Amino acid sequence: MSNTGNSRKRPPPPASSQHPQQKHHAAMEDDEGDEDNYYLDETPLPLNKEDTQALREAEERLQKWKRPPLSQLYTSQSQSIVFQQLEIDYVIGESHKELLPKSSGVAPILRIFGVTKEGHSVCCHVHGFEPYFYISCPPGMGPDDISRFHQILEGRMRDVNRNSNVPYFVRRVELVQRRSIMYYQQQNSQPFLKIVVALPTMVTSCRGILDRGIQIDGLGLKSFMTYESNILFALRFMIDCNIVGGNWIEVPVGKYIKKAKNLSYCQLEFDCLYTDLVSHVPEGEFSKMAPFRILSFDIECAGRKGLFPEPIHDPVIQVANVVTLQGQDQPFVRNVMTLKSCSPIAGVDVMSFDTEKEVLLAWRDFIREVDPDIIIGYNICKFDLPYLIERAKVLGITEFPLLGRIINSKVRVKDTTFSSRQYGTRESKEVTIEGRVQFDLLQVMQRDYKLSSYSLNSVSAHFLNEQKEDVHHSIISDLQNGNSDTRMRLAKYCLKDAYLPQRLLDKLMFIYNYVEMARVTGVPISFLLSRGQSIKVLSQLLRKAKQKNLVIPNAKQAGSEQGTFEGATVLEASAGFFEKPIATLDFASLYPSVMMAYNLCYCTLVTPEDMRRLNLPPEWVTKTPSGDTFVKTNLQKGILPEILEELLAARKRAKADLKEARDPLVKAVLDGRQLALKISANSVYGFTGATVGQLPCLEISSSVTSYGRQMIEHTKKLVEDKFTVLGGYEHNAEVIYGDTDSVMVQFGVPTVEEAMNLGREAADYISGTFTKPIKLEFEKVYYPYLLISKKRYAGLLWTNPNKFDKMDAKGIETVRRDNCLLVKNLVTECLHKILIDRDVPGAVQYVKNTIADLLMNRVDLSLLVITKGLTKTGDDYEVKAAHVELAERMRKFVKDINSGC
DNA sequence: CCATCTCCCTAT
DNA sequence: TGAGATAGGGAGATGG
C-alpha cells in the first residue's frame, strides 16, 4: 500500500508554482540557447533513438534542474550580497594583489559557500585572515628581544619545514595584553606574544618547536606554553568574525570583486576582505532558512549471490535522486538513472543508459546541474559515495569524481576512525565534496536516537509508519537481468530509498534542529555529525573568552594528571511494590545551576598556593565540598556561569517566542533552538570533566558533583525531618529512592492529589534553602510504583490527579536493547498486569505459561533473536536458541516478582 | 559455590 | 590532535 502511495502520486506541480522566482526570471530571459552546455556535450544521450524527442526531454529536465538565473541587480554588482552560509573551508593560494597590495606569496584563502534568499549559490573567497596563536611573554621582554625572538623562531621553522617554499614562516610577533583563562588572577592582563604565521599548518609545527623549547641568548633552552594553538583555521576565522554555523553573511556593495574567471560552479563568486564581512546575528529575518537544495539519493548494485557488493566486481545499476527546496514539502526533481532500459514511472524522469560509465557520468552531470547544497541519504558516507568513487576508479573513469563545486577539483576520500565513549569506535570513509554539506541520515539516527535496529526499513517504520518497497537484496541482480518492467520495479525501490531519508529529514526536523545547534554553539554544520560534543563547548568558550580578552591554554599543560573523580550519589533503593503514591522531586538543570550558584569556572579557581599567597578574605571565596576554592563574583565573574546564564535565558526566550509563534516554519526554528540550548547547557559540565579533552578541569567537575551529592542528601534529610506526624502532618514521609538530582518520596497519603500538594510544598520549602538559581521542582507522581533496585523501576506516571499519563519503565528489560523480544514482551505484559490490572498472580501465571510454551517449542523463533553489535548497521541478528536457559531466567523473574510484593 | 573481572547498556 | 561525565545492574567468563 505504501507502494501505491508513491506511484499514484501525480508528478510534482510545474517548477513555477514551487519556485516563484524561477518563473519570474524565466519570463524575462531567454538565454537557453547560448548557454554552452557541458551536460549535452559530454554525455551521450539516452538510448532512445528518436533524437528530437530525447533532446527535448533532456532540455526540459535541464531547465527544471537549474537554479533561478541572476537578476540585473546581481549581475551589475549594484547590491550587497546576503547569503546563508552552510560551509566554510580554506585553500592555499596566491595572495590577492588588489585586496592585499602589501602582501605577496602564498596565503590561506577562506571559502564560504552558501545560498541567497532567492536561491542563488554563492562562493565567497575571503582574503587577509591570518593564522595565529599565543604564548605568554617572558617577563622583561622589550621590542628588541621580541624581534630577536622572531628571528630565532623563523630560523627554527625553516629547519623544521625544509620543503616549504614560502618567503617567511613567522609573519609577525606582536606584543599584546591578554590573560589566561586558567585560575583566578588579580592582574587584569599580562603581556602575551601573538605569533602570526604564514599558513595554518605552521601553527602546529610552530607550537611543536615552542613546546620542545628553543635556544634564546641569555636564557638558554626555553619552552613556552602555547595558547589557542589547536583550533582549526576555519573555526578560528568564524570565531574572530563572529560567524556562527549556518548564519547569514552580508558583503556590502563595493566590497567584493567579481572573479575574472570563476573557480567554482556557483552563481555568485567573488573575492573580499575578511574585515568587510558583515555577520548577522540569527534573529528576526536572519533566523530564517535560505531555500537551499537538498539532494537525497540512493544507489543499487548488482551483487553476486549471497555476497555484499564490492566495487571491484559489482556494477552500479541504478541511481535514484530526489531534490527538494528547503521549506517545501514536495521534491521538485525525482529521477532515476538506470543501466539498461526501464519502463516509465509516473512523475519520475527515467533515464536509461547502455553502459555503467554513462550512468555514472549522467549522475555526475546531474549533480553539477542541480547543484545541491546538502546531500543526504542513508549510509551514503560509508556506502553509496565511496562505492561510486571506487567503482569509477575500477572502471577507469577518471573524470567521474568531479562532484564538488570547485571546477576540476576531484573529491577526496580518506579513511577515518571516530572513537568516543558515547558513540563507540566507528571506522568510516570521509569523502570530501567541496562546497556541499553531507548529512547522512544513518549517522544522524545513530547519534540522536537509541534504537534496536538502524536499518532504513525499521527506522522508517518507527518514525514514518512506512516500509521500504518489498525487494529483497538477493533478487536485485535477477530484477536487473530481467526486462524493462523488472528494472522498473527495482527503480521504484531505489526511488523509495532515496525518498525515505528526505521524509525522515522533514518529519524529525533535522535541518531546523541542526542549523539551530550550529547557530547556538557556533560550529559549522558539518562538525555536528563529524565531531564530538566537546568542540561545541570549546567553540562557545573561545568566543566568550575572546570578548573578555582571555586566552585558552592548550590541554596538556592544563593539569589533567588526576585521572578520575567521584560522581553523583544514588540513594539506596528500598525495593518493593508501593501501592501509595510516590512523589518525585527534581533539581532543574542540576549541574548548570550548581556552576552558576557557586561561580565555578576556570577563571575563578584559586590554586592552593595562591590561597596562601593572596590572602583572600574568606567571605570572598567559596570552598566547595570537594575542597577546591573559587572566588565569588565580586572578585571575578566566571565565564562558564555566564555562558550557562545566557544559554538558559535564551532558552526561556525561545520557549516564550515558541508559544507566541504561529508560522510553522518559525516554530520549527524556535523549537530546534530551545532544544539546542538545553543540550548545550548540559554538556558544559561534561566538558570540564573530559580528562582526555581540550581543557579538563577536575576541580570544577568534582566540585559540581560534590555539591550534587550534598544537595541530594540534604533534600532527603529535610523531607524526612519536616514531613512527620510530629511536625503536624498525617504521616511520616519516607524517601524510598533517589538518583543524582531526584528524590522519590512516599508521603504516606493515599491519593495522587494529596501527594502532588505535598510534593509542591516540599519542593518550594526545600528550594528556599538553596543558593539561587538552584531550584527543586515537583514533577510527577508514580502510583503504583515498582522499585526493583537502583536504576531499575517502573510505575504509572501522573502529572495531573485525574488520570495517569503512561506507564514509565527505567532500566528494566523492556527498555534495554540487549534482550530478545520474548523477554521484552513478557516483562512488558507482566508490568501491565501488575501496575494497571493490579493482578500480581496473573503476572506470575503469565510467566509460567510462557515458560511452558518455551519448553515445548511453542514460541516463534524470531522472538528469541537478540541483536548483537548494535553499533553495526543492518539487520545483523543471532538466534539465541537456549530455550532452557531462558526459561531459567524467567523462573528467577517470577521469584523477583513475588519478592517484590 | 564464591569472589572478581569484563562487557554491555542504561540512569542521571 | 580526537574523544562529554560517573554510577550501577546483570550476564557471563575465569580462577580457586
Side-chain angles (χ1 to χ4, degrees), chain A residues 95-338:
Chain A
S95 177
H96 198 281
K97 301 229 158 31
E98 202 175 328
L99 289 168
L100 299 164
K102 286 185 217 149
S103 297
S104 66
V106 294
I109 301 161
L110 289 135
R111 299 185 302 196
I112 312 181
F113 295 94
V115 184
T116 67
K117 69 172 193 288
E118 300 88 354
H120 301 311
S121 53
V122 176
C123 176
C124 168
H125 302 258
V126 183
H127 301 263
F129 187 75
E130 302 170 302
Y132 67 90
F133 65 100
Y134 301 97
I135 58 174
S136 50
C137 179
M141 224 172 167
D144 289 349
D145 304 309
I146 292 173
S147 104
R148 202 160 54 245
F149 172 80
H150 184 169
Q151 278 168 20
I152 296 167
L153 191 58
E154 176 72 19
R156 293 285 287 114
M157 285 291 282
R158 200 162 295 281
D159 295 341
V160 172
N161 303 280
R162 282 237 171 268
N163 45 0
S164 290
N165 66 1
V166 286
Y168 40 85
F169 293 85
V170 182
R171 298 185 75 119
R172 289 192 303 285
V173 177
E174 296 169 14
L175 184 64
V176 294
Q177 292 296 314
R178 295 285 190 278
R179 178 153 62 93
S180 171
I181 195 176
M182 280 311 293
Y183 306 120
Y184 168 67
Q185 286 168 40
Q186 288 184 314
Q187 315 86 314
N188 213 15
S189 63
Q190 290 175 343
F192 275 78
L193 295 181
K194 179 176 175 179
I195 299 174
V196 182
V197 292
L199 299 176
T201 49
M202 292 172 186
V203 170
T204 316
S205 66
C206 200
R207 178 185 61 205
I209 290 166
L210 291 165
D211 272 346
R212 289 191 298 273
I214 58 173
Q215 287 288 345
I216 297 180
D217 326 337
L219 286 171
L221 186 73
K222 190 152 172 30
S223 74
F224 293 85
M225 183 185 282
T226 65
Y227 294 77
E228 306 191 1
S229 59
N230 57 350
I231 306 166
L232 288 156
F233 184 59
L235 186 61
R236 172 86 269 173
F237 161 71
M238 290 172 74
I239 290 167
D240 289 6
C241 296
N242 278 318
I243 295 169
V244 294
N247 78 334
W248 289 80
I249 288 177
E250 179 166 355
V251 190
V253 184
K255 299 295 189 185
Y256 59 90
I257 302 173
K258 195 181 174 309
K259 278 222 172 283
K261 188 164 184 300
N262 278 0
L263 300 177
S264 79
Y265 296 111
C266 291
Q267 289 174 294
L268 293 163
E269 185 174 351
F270 51 88
D271 294 289
C272 67
L273 282 174
Y274 81 97
T275 43
D276 289 330
L277 294 175
V278 181
S279 173
H280 290 287
V281 176
E283 285 167 4
E285 271 303 291
F286 296 117
S287 72
K288 294 194 172 159
M289 302 284 171
F292 30 83
R293 295 178 159 218
I294 303 170
L295 162 70
S296 184
F297 81 102
D298 181 52
I299 67 170
E300 299 303 329
C301 314
R304 292 145 299 150
K305 273 268 175 295
L307 295 173
F308 194 76
E310 287 175 66
I312 314 167
H313 307 288
D314 306 314
V316 173
I317 51 177
Q318 297 195 346
V319 188
N321 303 285
V322 167
V323 188
T324 312
L325 280 185
Q326 165 57 29
Q328 300 193 339
D329 52 12
Q330 290 295 317
F332 69 100
V333 173
R334 297 168 212 247
N335 67 28
V336 58
M337 291 134 193
T338 67

Side-chain angles (χ1 to χ4, degrees), chain A residues 629-646:
Chain A
T629 310
F630 295 84
V631 298
K632 294 192 174 167
T633 48
N634 59 333
L635 283 182
Q636 171 72 55
K637 177 124 174 69
I639 78 172
L640 291 181
E642 205 169 308
I643 290 173
L644 291 168
E645 276 161 26
E646 285 171 10

Side-chain angles (χ1 to χ4, degrees), chain A residues 564-817:
Chain A
T564 132
F565 64 95
E566 192 182 341
T569 292
V570 183
L571 296 180
E572 241 12 88
S574 323
F577 185 54
F578 295 87
E579 303 198 70
K580 287 180 191 157
I582 305 295
T584 306
L585 312 178
D586 278 74
F587 287 102
S589 311
L590 176 68
Y591 288 172
S593 66
V594 166
M595 294 173 94
M596 289 187 278
Y598 299 104
N599 201 34
L600 307 182
C601 186
Y602 301 97
C603 65
T604 57
L605 175 63
V606 190
T607 60
E609 308 94 81
D610 277 358
M611 252 334 262
R612 289 191 289 276
R613 193 169 60 83
L614 298 176
N615 234 338
L616 298 167
E619 66 272 22
W620 286 7
V621 300
T622 311
K623 184 126 182 181
T624 72
S626 61
D628 301 297
T629 310
F630 295 84
V631 298
K632 294 192 174 167
T633 48
N634 59 333
L635 283 182
Q636 171 72 55
K637 177 124 174 69
I639 78 172
L640 291 181
E642 205 169 308
I643 290 173
L644 291 168
E645 276 161 26
E646 285 171 10
L647 288 171
L648 296 178
R651 178 160 189 245
K652 235 182 206 169
R653 264 202 317 279
K655 285 179 96 170
D657 293 351
L658 183 59
K659 247 185 203 156
E660 299 289 305
R662 289 289 162 266
D663 179 355
L665 297 185
V666 173
K667 281 175 113 155
V669 169
L670 291 172
D671 195 49
R673 180 173 305 174
Q674 69 86 14
L675 187 70
L677 290 162
K678 179 185 162 181
I679 296 170
S680 300
N682 286 335
S683 47
V684 172
Y685 149 78
F687 179 84
T688 66
T691 40
V692 280
Q694 298 272 11
L695 194 63
C697 182
L698 298 194
E699 292 91 338
I700 296 175
S701 31
S702 55
S703 292
V704 170
T705 55
S706 68
Y707 273 120
R709 293 193 298 274
Q710 206 178 58
M711 284 159 56
I712 194 172
E713 295 288 359
H714 176 74
T715 303
K716 173 178 153 78
K717 186 168 186 311
L718 237 47
V719 169
E720 292 182 339
D721 286 355
K722 180 177 163 69
F723 294 86
T724 58
V725 175
L726 272 174
Y729 292 86
E730 263 179 64
H731 307 87
N732 288 329
E734 199 186 336
V735 171
I736 57 158
Y737 178 55
D739 186 346
T740 311
D741 61 354
S742 65
V743 290
M744 319 298 209
V745 189
Q746 186 175 48
F747 284 108
V749 293
T751 67
V752 171
E753 189 164 10
E754 288 167 277
M756 287 183 160
N757 291 334
L758 286 170
R760 272 187 277 269
E761 185 187 338
D764 287 347
Y765 162 66
I766 295 165
S767 287
T769 67
F770 288 114
T771 314
K772 277 217 280 198
I774 295 170
K775 196 171 166 226
L776 188 69
E777 292 176 334
F778 164 75
E779 204 172 69
K780 64 206 170 199
V781 162
Y782 283 115
Y783 173 63
Y785 184 62
L786 178 67
L787 180 56
I788 296 171
S789 67
K790 286 181 174 180
K791 299 190 191 283
R792 284 163 65 83
Y793 62 79
L796 299 187
L797 188 155
W798 303 65
T799 54
N800 78 66
N802 304 318
K803 66 172 192 3
F804 68 88
D805 301 61
K806 57 168 182 177
M807 190 171 96
D808 196 20
K810 293 289 163 71
I812 301 178
E813 281 79 351
T814 52
V815 295
R816 291 180 66 92
R817 299 178 298 171

